[in-house]
Amino acid sequence: MAMTAPQNSIALSPSAAARVAWIAQKQGKPAVLRLSVEGGGCSGFQYRYGLAEGINADDTVTETDGVQLVVDAVSLDLVAGCVVDYVENLGGTAFKVENPNAVAGCGCGSSFAV
C-alpha cells in the first residue's frame, strides 16, 4: 500500500528515513534531508536532495522515525502532497518522489512537469 501525504505537506517513508539516518550517521551530520526543486531536467523541473545543516524559518518540516524532511516555501508549491521514498531493486537504489502534482515525468524519475 502506497504512503500518502496531506495535500499541503510532505512525507518521508520509513525506508527513506532509515537511509537518511544511515547516511547522516556516516557523515556525522544531523538526520535532516532537504528536498528542493530546480528548473531543468528532461521534463522541466528536477528534484535535488542533500543533508541540511539547519532548518530555515520558511521551511516545511515533517518527521519520520526521528529523521526530518525539509522543503523550502517555493519548492513546496511543486511538491505539496508528495512522499519521498527509498527504493532498492535490480536497477539500483535511489530516493524516489511520488508527486501527485506531476503530470509528466522522465524514465529515471529525477525530473517532472506540472
Side-chain angles (χ1 to χ4, degrees):
M1 184 166 123
M3 196 174 157
T4 59
Q7 186 58 35
N8 62 346
S9 188
I10 52 176
L12 188 64
S13 75
S15 64
R19 186 63 177 179
V20 171
W22 182 83
I23 293 169
Q25 189 269 333
K26 289 282 189 190
Q27 295 186 9
K29 294 186 176 182
V32 180
L33 179 68
R34 178 169 296 281
L35 170 64
S36 61
V37 176
E38 297 178 354
C42 49
S43 296
F45 293 101
Q46 58 189 348
Y47 302 110
R48 290 282 182 219
Y49 309 96
L51 292 178
E53 294 296 330
I55 299 170
N56 301 325
D58 67 340
D59 286 340
T60 294
V61 182
T62 189
E63 188 170 318
T64 301
D65 298 334
V67 176
Q68 293 178 314
L69 172 64
V70 297
V71 177
D72 64 87
V74 174
S75 296
L76 184 62
D77 287 344
L78 297 168
V79 296
C82 83
V83 175
V84 178
D85 196 10
Y86 182 74
V87 294
E88 298 182 42
N89 57 36
L90 292 176
T93 61
F95 286 102
K96 181 179 178 185
V97 178
E98 298 291 338
N99 189 343
N101 305 305
V103 295
C106 64
C108 66
S110 64
S111 69
F112 68 102
V114 290

